Amino acid sequence: MQNLLDFDAEGLTAWFAEQGEKPFRAKQVLRWIHRSGVADFDAMTDIAKSLREKLKATAVIAPPTVVSDKVSEDGTRKFLIDVGNGNAVETVFIPEVERGTLCVSTQAGCALDCAFCSTGKQGFNRNLTVAEIIGQVWLANRALGAVHGDERVISNVVLMGMGEPLANFENTVTALRLMLDDNAYGLSRRRVTVSTSGLVPVMDRLRDECPVALAVSLHAPNDALRDELVPINQKYPLVELMAACRRYLEKAPRDFITFEYVMLEGVNDSDTHARQLISLVKTVPCKFNLIPFNPFPGSPFLRSPAERVRRFADILMAAGIITTTRKTRGDDIDAACGQLAGQVKDKTKRTAGRVIALKEIRP
Ligand code: SAH
Ligand code: SF4
């Protein structure tokens, strides 16, 4: 059985052609699946009964299974999604006055092992399929009641959940195309953000194949410190990363890169670090998003005090860099940045925090 959630418009059209069906049929079905949130072929009322029967015999619309759905005191909603073999990933919806942002995962675990990241500490399990990535948007849309046409409950998507999107490039790009497609989710390129720890060659591919807004996880102003905190820096050091950011901006839908910077007390949060950052990024039009560190069990870091974060932001602002501090949302349900451990079983036997097999949390 073919899962139709694995296809973007081009893939679905090609698959329909193999079945002897016309492109406009593929477009109709794509709209039913993604715009109307339909999983049942019989609900596709403008599709001939004969084609519906044919589709039922050969295809399914199969999103992953939601194993839990929790709402935080601040309205943040976290879906825990079963991706098989005892693994789960998390999807987080963050409602705000002017927009609703869905934070989507791209891998079960992550191989890049950043020092302060709960997902990294779980080790890498596997890449998510297209159906599992876009399925998070599909499921959240349905859960949020946004299945009929133009209601835009989800106005923004950020690939900032579990995993490194650029390490799962093909599937991520296919899912991005669906997010952007007017016959699917119809989001603007400016409202879809890929966050990367800095896979330099793949940043170039993203720019060429599917440019969307880009966030880069910087976290340190010099190579010595970044080598420690974000080990991929040993392969792609800061000078290369900054050059890749400049190249990205040549084709990006936004005219700045967002640098994410997790504030770790006594590690990367001094005035000197802030001043080093200013000189590091002087050739890259950018904004900064400071993220107060979210602790997880066994993590060796502390969150910088609010006053330190404010002072750090002031130094960047004084140099003309727009700097925001991320509000910590959903931490009462472990949905905040870097807390997304996903109860992935620890495949690497690293000692990590909340390692709970799915069967243990099922009711
Ligand atoms: N792998 C991608 C996207 C997922 S992580 C990346 O690294 O960019 C999304 C963001 O959360 C990144 O900026 C990451 O560095 C940050 N993050 C990870 N662990 C965190 C923690 N414990 N507290 C706060 N932010 C964290
Ligand atoms: Fe992976 Fe991003 Fe976590 Fe680093 S911060 S381990 S790249 S998910």
Side-chain angles (χ1 to χ4, degrees):
M1 284 292 208
Q2 176 63 52
N3 187 355
L4 300 189
L5 279 179
D6 272 319
F7 290 133
D8 62 4
E10 196 185 314
L12 193 64
T13 307
W15 187 81
F16 266 57
E18 281 168 27
Q19 321 293 311
E21 297 294 337
K22 299 236 160 40
F24 83 95
R25 292 288 177 213
K27 180 169 147 183
Q28 278 178 309
V29 169
L30 194 75
R31 291 178 68 92
W32 276 114
I33 298 172
H34 296 287
R35 294 190 64 82
S36 306
V38 159
D40 172 7
F41 292 113
D42 279 328
M44 301 181 179
T45 46
D46 58 358
I47 306 284
K49 185 132 200 300
S50 56
L51 175 54
R52 283 179 351 222
E53 292 303 324
K54 187 166 150 188
L55 287 171
K56 278 198 265 181
T58 50
V60 287
I61 298 159
T65 310
V66 176
V67 283
S68 83
D69 174 354
K70 289 186 196 154
V71 183
S72 154
E73 277 167 23
D74 63 20
T76 302
R77 187 159 170 183
K78 180 172 88 167
F79 304 93
L80 186 64
I81 290 181
D82 185 2
V83 292
N85 292 326
N87 294 311
V89 296
E90 293 172 326
T91 307
V92 180
F93 178 69
I94 307 143
E96 288 174 288
V97 180
E98 299 275 313
R99 63 183 170 192
T101 303
L102 192 71
C103 180
V104 167
S105 295
T106 54
Q107 298 183 308
C110 181
L112 297 182
D113 199 21
C114 298
F116 48 81
C117 174
S118 174
T119 304
K121 292 297 153 210
Q122 306 291 317
F124 177 65
N125 187 260
R126 69 168 172 85
N127 283 330
L128 299 190
T129 64
V130 176
E132 287 166 340
I133 300 171
I134 204 65
Q136 296 170 60
V137 184
W138 190 92
L139 285 166
N141 244 333
R142 268 177 57 134
L144 295 163
V147 292
H148 301 295
D150 271 327
E151 269 176 275
R152 291 292 158 82
V153 177
I154 297 172
S155 62
N156 296 57
V157 173
V158 295
L159 301 192
M160 291 184 187
M162 294 171 66
E164 167 54 50
L166 297 189
N168 182 13
F169 184 75
E170 303 286 347
N171 292 348
T172 293
V173 164
T174 304
L176 286 174
R177 293 209 166 101
L178 284 163
M179 293 174 203
L180 302 173
D181 192 329
D182 283 337
N183 293 312
Y185 300 95
L187 299 174
S188 109
R189 284 180 192 279
R190 302 156 56 85
R191 290 174 171 271
V192 176
T193 302
V194 166
S195 174
T196 181
S197 55
L199 298 187
V200 164
V202 198
M203 289 165 65
D204 288 324
R205 281 190 74 190
L206 185 69
R207 169 191 91 145
D208 293 336
E209 294 179 34
C210 192
V212 292
L214 188 69
V216 173
S217 293
L218 198 53
H219 307 318
N222 59 64
D223 283 318
L225 184 55
R226 196 163 190 271
D227 282 352
E228 295 292 318
L229 296 177
V230 185
I232 194 69
N233 194 70
Q234 296 162 22
K235 196 159 177 195
Y236 305 115
L238 285 167
V239 49
E240 289 180 30
L241 182 59
M242 292 303 121
C245 288
R246 285 192 296 274
R247 289 194 298 276
Y248 195 87
L249 287 173
E250 290 164 11
K251 290 192 194 164
R254 286 188 178 272
D255 55 10
F256 60 90
I257 300 284
T258 302
F259 286 123
E260 296 163 278
Y261 197 94
V262 62
M263 296 294 288
L264 305 168
E265 182 171 27
V267 174
N268 66 353
D269 65 348
S270 71
D271 291 0
T272 310
H273 291 128
R275 284 191 288 269
Q276 279 181 12
L277 275 179
I278 293 165
S279 81
L280 174 71
V281 305
K282 63 178 179 296
T283 57
V284 181
C286 63
K287 293 183 181 172
F288 266 78
N289 191 216
L290 304 180
I291 315 173
F293 171 64
N294 291 307
F296 52 90
S299 58
F301 300 106
L302 293 174
R303 178 184 291 182
S304 305
E307 187 45 43
R308 181 88 298 268
V309 178
R310 214 169 299 131
R311 168 84 185 135
F312 199 90
D314 285 347
I315 296 173
L316 297 178
M317 296 281 269
I321 301 173
I322 293 174
T323 304
T324 52
T325 300
R326 195 172 293 176
K327 276 205 270 327
T328 294
R329 301 274 310 249
D331 51 356
D332 54 331
I333 54 167
D334 283 350
C337 308
Q339 289 183 323
L340 306 185
Q343 278 79 17
V344 180
K345 268 200 250 173
D346 190 357
K347 296 287 167 132
T348 60
K349 304 282 177 269
R350 279 195 211 103
T351 43
R354 299 153 39 269
V355 178
I356 306 168
L358 269 183
K359 58 179 178 348
E360 295 169 39
I361 55 165
R362 282 209 177 101

